Amino acid sequence: IKNDTKILMMLDFLEYRIKKLNNKEININKKFIIYVMEASQREDYNHALEFSIYQSNILKKPLLVIFFVTDKFKYSNIRYYKFMLEGIVKTKYEIESRGVKFLIVKDTFVNGTLNLSKDAALIVFDKNYLRTQRIWRKKVSELLDCASFEIESDVVVPVELISNNLIPYAYIYRQKLEKIRDIFLKKVPKLEPKIKSIDIKIPNYQNAFELPSLNNNFNILVSYILNELNIDKSLSTVEKYYIGGSDEAYKKLNDFINNKLFRYKEFRSHPDKDYTSNLSPYLHFGQISPIKIVMEILKYYEINDDNVKSFFNELIIWRELARNYVLFNEFYNQYEGLPLWAKNTLYEHINDKREYIYDLKDLEEANTHDIYWNAAQKEMLLTGKMHNYMRMYWAKKIIEWSKSPKQAFDIACYLNDKYLLDGRDANGYAGISWCFGAFDRPFKERNIFGKIRYMSDKALKNKFDIQKYLDKYL
Ligand code: FAD
C-alpha cells in the first residue's frame, strides 16, 4: 500500500487529493476495485474515477463504478431527483463507453456499499463535505474488510490544505488560497482502463437499472427509476429551465464564456439581467468540475482579468470557504452555529415589534405584502434557482417577518433545500448564515436585526431595473 501511494503521488493531478479512510489493507484476493460515486457525478475531470482506473490497472482487477439511489433521504423530491438522474444516466453511458461497468442500484449508501464490498479489493469514495455524507463514508470504512480511499475532486484547492480550523472571513481564505491556487490548476488526464469490466456479470446486482441499449433515450431510464422511488412527487419539475447532465453544464459554461463573462463584474448583482453562469445546480451534483470551469476560462481569458477575478472570487473563494464552514462548524445548518456576536445582537432584539409576521405557509406560497420578495420566492418555485442578489434580500426579509431569528433560520433552510436544485449544499448553509451575520461585520444597530447588516427594497430600486425582474416572475 505504502509503495502504491508513493507511486500515486507521482500522478501529480492527484497530489493532496487522496486520503485513506481506514487502516485496512488492499485485499488482493478479492475480485473488483469499486468506486462508489456520490459527490462527483461525472465522467470528465473526475479524480476519483481516474484514481480507480489507475488502481484497476496496477492491481489487474476490473473496476466497477456504482451509484446508489435511495428514497430514504429526508429531502428526496422529484424536482431535484429528476435533474440528478438525468446526469447519472448520461454518466453511466459515458463511463461504460470507456469499458467500465456502471451500476445504478436502489439502495442506501451504507447498506449498498457494505453489500458490494464482499467482492472488493479496495473501495474508492469521492469527497463530500456535508455531515451526513461524511458519516456514511466513516461508518462504511470502519466496517469494511478492505482499504478505502477518499478522493477530493470538487474543489480547486483541497479545503484541509488551507486550514484545519474554521475560517471566519473570506479575505483570510483568499490570502491563504491564492498563495497555492495555481499549482492545483492541472488537467485531469483520462487513463485507459486495461481491463474492461463492461460485460462482467455481478451476481448480487441483477436488479441494477440498465440502459436497454447504448444508444438509448436517457429519459426512458430516468422515468423508469423515478417510478420505482417513493419520493415527494408533489413539486413541479424544472426541465424548461435546467436539464441535468455534464453536457448541459458544458453548454451553460460555453454560453457564459462567450456571452456573459466579459460583463460579469458589472452585472453579477443585477437580477433583471442574466449575466451569471447558472452553473450552481451542476456544481452541486458534481456534474461539472470547478477545475474544468477554471481551465476552460483560462483558455480564453487572462487570470488577472477583472471579470475573471470577480468570477473566481465566487467560484473558488466563497464556494470553498463554504466547504470550510460545513467541515469545521458542527452546527453549520442550525441557528446555533452562527457567530456569538450575531446571536447576541439578534437576541437583544428578540422582543422588538415586527410589523409583519408570516408563517411557513404564507412564505412558501409567496403570499406576503412585498412584491419583490414574492417575485424572488416565485423564481425559486418556478425555476428551481434564485438569483444571488435576491437570495440575500429573501433571507434578510424572513428574519424581519419571523417570530424569532431561530425560526427564520429554519424556514430559510427548509425552503432553500426543498425547492432549489442547488439546495442541500454547503453554499446554501454558508449563504443563509451570511444573512444572519456569519463572515460579515457588525453594522449600525437597528430594530429586529440589531447589528446584523440590513437590506431594504430601496437598494433593489436604485441598483437595477427591478420592474423587469418582477415582470419575469409575478
Ligand atoms: P455565479 O455567479 O455564476 O457563480 C459561479 C459559482 O460560484 C456558483 O455556481 C456557485 O457554485 C459559486 N458561488 C457563487 N456565489 C456564491 C456564494 N455567495 N457563496 C458560495 N458560492 C458561491 N448557492 C448554492 O450553490 N446553493 C444554495 O443552496 C445557495 N443558497 C443560498 C442562499 C442564500 C440566502 C444566499 C445569500 C446565497 C446562496 N447561495 C447558494 C450562493 C449563491 O447565491 C449561488 O451559488 C449563486 O446564485 C448560483 O448562481 P450561479 O451559478 O449563476 O452563480
Side-chain angles (χ1 to χ4, degrees):
I1 275 188
K2 279 182 192 134
N3 288 343
D4 290 347
T5 310
K6 258 189 201 158
I7 296 166
L8 281 165
M9 287 302 180
M10 282 151 45
L11 294 167
D12 72 342
F13 71 100
L14 286 167
E15 204 172 6
Y16 302 113
R17 294 187 184 276
I18 305 168
K19 192 169 175 181
K20 184 117 186 301
L21 290 186
N22 61 14
N23 54 12
K24 309 278 168 57
E25 301 287 316
I26 291 174
N27 196 335
I28 45 165
N29 299 320
K30 296 293 167 88
K31 277 193 259 176
F32 301 115
I33 309 300
I34 292 176
Y35 164 28
V36 182
M37 181 179 283
E38 192 269 328
S40 315
Q41 298 174 18
R42 59 177 180 274
E43 178 269 333
D44 192 25
Y45 263 71
N46 183 334
H47 298 77
L49 175 65
E50 302 308 332
F51 172 86
S52 306
I53 294 174
Y54 178 79
Q55 290 291 355
S56 157
N57 287 350
I58 56 170
L59 293 169
K60 300 187 175 52
K61 291 179 189 291
L63 168 65
L64 298 180
V65 183
I66 186 145
F67 182 81
F68 293 110
V69 56
T70 175
D71 45 19
K72 304 263 184 304
F73 194 48
K74 74 171 174 177
Y75 300 111
S76 312
N77 71 53
I78 191 160
R79 170 173 291 190
Y80 82 83
Y81 260 50
K82 180 166 190 288
F83 181 89
M84 174 178 80
L85 289 169
E86 282 163 352
I88 279 296
V89 295
K90 292 177 200 164
T91 297
K92 173 176 168 64
Y93 174 78
E94 286 159 3
I95 289 183
E96 294 198 338
S97 302
R98 288 173 72 180
V100 174
K101 184 73 194 154
F102 187 113
L103 297 165
I104 305 172
V105 173
K106 187 179 170 191
D107 208 338
T108 60
F109 185 97
V110 173
N111 279 344
T113 310
L114 287 176
N115 207 2
L116 199 62
S117 71
K118 294 181 187 94
D119 291 324
L122 73 103
I123 301 236
V124 178
F125 300 114
D126 39 31
K127 189 172 177 80
N128 191 325
Y129 290 91
L130 296 176
R131 186 189 307 110
T132 304
Q133 288 77 354
R134 272 189 272 134
I135 292 172
W136 289 345
R137 287 157 174 76
K138 189 165 179 277
K139 196 168 160 189
V140 173
S141 296
E142 279 164 8
L143 295 170
L144 283 176
D145 287 331
C146 64
S148 71
F149 292 89
E150 178 181 74
I151 312 297
E152 164 54 71
S153 193
D154 283 278
V155 293
V156 175
V157 181
V159 170
E160 284 148 290
L161 209 58
I162 299 290
S163 176
N164 278 316
N165 295 301
L166 187 66
I167 299 212
Y169 298 109
Y171 81 90
I172 303 177
Y173 209 82
R174 189 177 305 111
Q175 278 170 359
K176 288 175 179 284
L177 185 141
E178 285 182 351
K179 282 190 195 137
I180 53 174
R181 176 194 61 196
D182 295 358
I183 61 169
F184 290 95
L185 303 184
K186 284 176 186 148
K187 215 169 169 272
V188 180
K190 287 193 201 269
L191 306 182
E192 170 71 24
K194 290 190 182 137
I195 301 168
K196 308 290 176 196
S197 56
I198 186 77
D199 294 323
I200 289 178
K201 293 270 168 285
I202 302 109
N204 292 339
Y205 283 97
Q206 297 305 345
N207 62 340
F209 297 109
E210 268 314 322
L211 293 165
S213 81
L214 275 185
N215 286 327
N216 201 285
N217 179 348
F218 299 121
N219 288 332
I220 296 176
L221 186 58
V222 171
S223 306
Y224 180 78
I225 300 174
L226 286 173
N227 216 16
E228 295 291 301
L229 298 173
N230 183 20
I231 54 177
D232 178 2
K233 296 187 178 158
S234 63
L235 276 71
S236 60
T237 54
V238 292
E239 56 282 347
K240 187 169 160 213
Y241 303 92
Y242 297 96
I243 298 173
S246 301
D247 56 336
E248 297 289 333
Y250 293 158
K251 279 188 216 161
K252 290 252 185 303
L253 176 60
N254 288 337
D255 180 36
F256 180 64
I257 293 174
N258 293 330
N259 305 315
K260 300 179 182 182
L261 180 54
F262 75 108
R263 301 193 82 169
Y264 182 79
K265 191 176 176 208
E266 186 185 0
F267 287 148
R268 59 171 284 267
S269 294
H270 287 230
D272 53 327
K273 301 186 176 61
D274 180 18
Y275 272 87
T276 67
S277 70
N278 291 320
L279 284 169
S280 56
Y282 302 92
L283 281 161
H284 170 69
F285 288 100
Q287 294 177 0
I288 190 165
S289 137
I291 305 173
K292 168 91 176 184
I293 299 175
V294 170
M295 301 296 273
E296 285 300 307
I297 288 176
L298 294 180
K299 281 186 191 163
Y300 305 95
Y301 278 85
E302 294 293 328
I303 203 157
N304 286 325
D305 176 285
D306 278 352
N307 287 300
V308 171
K309 276 207 260 181
S310 170
F311 183 68
F312 286 0
N313 191 45
E314 304 304 323
L315 175 75
I316 308 178
I317 306 301
W318 279 100
R319 185 172 176 277
E320 296 182 12
L321 176 63
R323 272 127 193 94
N324 168 280
Y325 188 67
V326 301
L327 193 57
F328 297 116
N329 181 344
E330 198 188 334
F331 302 107
Y332 64 78
N333 57 348
Q334 293 166 49
Y335 181 75
E336 288 68 23
L338 296 173
L340 197 57
W341 74 266
K343 283 184 291 193
N344 284 343
T345 191
L346 287 165
Y347 186 71
E348 281 165 19
H349 289 267
I350 202 149
N351 292 322
D352 289 358
K353 187 172 169 355
R354 272 90 171 133
E355 204 174 328
Y356 301 94
I357 291 192
Y358 295 111
D359 60 16
L360 175 63
K361 187 165 181 292
D362 297 325
L363 296 169
E364 193 159 13
E365 292 172 0
N367 204 4
T368 78
H369 68 285
D370 179 335
I371 48 172
Y372 309 126
W373 194 93
N374 294 346
Q377 175 68 13
K378 284 196 176 164
E379 181 186 5
M380 173 159 111
L381 295 177
L382 184 74
T383 70
K385 195 166 172 288
M386 192 194 294
H387 192 282
N388 178 54
Y389 195 83
M390 296 310 290
R391 294 192 204 213
M392 294 190 271
Y393 182 75
W394 174 86
K396 293 278 184 191
K397 290 293 152 188
I398 300 179
I399 302 178
E400 199 173 328
W401 303 333
S402 294
K403 280 188 195 138
S404 73
K406 179 172 166 37
Q407 192 180 55
F409 192 94
D410 291 343
I411 288 178
C413 285
Y414 172 81
L415 294 174
N416 195 87
D417 287 349
K418 179 170 175 184
Y419 290 102
L420 293 175
L421 288 177
D422 63 23
R424 310 151 307 279
D425 189 284
N427 288 353
Y429 305 121
I432 290 169
S433 300
W434 178 86
C435 294
F436 285 73
F439 313 108
D440 209 2
R441 63 176 174 86
F443 281 73
K444 192 167 169 284
E445 195 151 4
R446 59 177 297 135
N447 206 23
I448 303 172
F449 284 78
K451 291 180 182 151
I452 304 286
R453 183 198 294 255
Y454 178 71
M455 268 176 88
S456 80
D457 56 1
K458 276 199 203 100
L460 305 181
K461 288 178 222 160
N462 295 340
K463 271 184 85 120
F464 47 83
D465 184 355
I466 185 73
Q467 189 56 46
K468 220 169 141 191
Y469 179 74
L470 297 183
D471 291 344
K472 277 203 261 184
Y473 300 112
L474 279 189

